[in-house]
Amino acid sequence: MGKDAQLSRASGNKLEQVAASAGLDLILQDAILSEDSSTLKALLGIATHCAMLAPAEEQEEQEDEGGNETPEREGETSRAALSAVELIG
């Protein structure tokens, strides 16, 4: 728990003493002591985000005017990945 690894094995009374001495709000203390992770996340403003990036279908390469081969939609996968990251915030 936090910086003190010993608190992960501490009794309820010890946790209560530490939380009170740290000056935590009572509602926050209750969430910690009751192990109510959803309330604790809400109080701390923690949101769960999940994203999945899948490889795009392979694109056929075409020759450009200079005779160089370029992907049909160059950079589209990168733009899609950046958009997904922006949505996650």
Side-chain angles (χ1 to χ4, degrees), residues 8-43:
S8 66
R9 294 187 253 355
S11 68
N13 290 336
K14 177 66 175 174
L15 284 177
E16 190 173 347
Q17 290 172 351
V18 171
S21 68
L24 297 177
D25 290 335
L26 291 177
I27 192 165
L28 192 55
Q29 289 181 37
D30 289 340
I32 292 169
L33 296 173
S34 65
E35 299 179 19
D36 185 353
S37 63
S38 60
T39 300
L40 190 56
K41 286 178 184 178
L43 291 170

Side-chain angles (χ1 to χ4, degrees), residues 19-74:
S21 68
L24 297 177
D25 290 335
L26 291 177
I27 192 165
L28 192 55
Q29 289 181 37
D30 289 340
I32 292 169
L33 296 173
S34 65
E35 299 179 19
D36 185 353
S37 63
S38 60
T39 300
L40 190 56
K41 286 178 184 178
L43 291 170
L44 296 175
I46 298 172
T48 303
H49 298 286
C50 180
M52 182 180 105
L53 296 177
E57 293 180 22
E58 290 190 28
Q59 304 292 325
E60 290 185 26
E61 294 184 0
Q62 297 178 349
E63 288 187 16
D64 63 10
E65 293 176 10
N68 299 323
E69 291 185 1
T70 59
E72 188 175 314
R73 296 186 291 186
E74 184 175 336

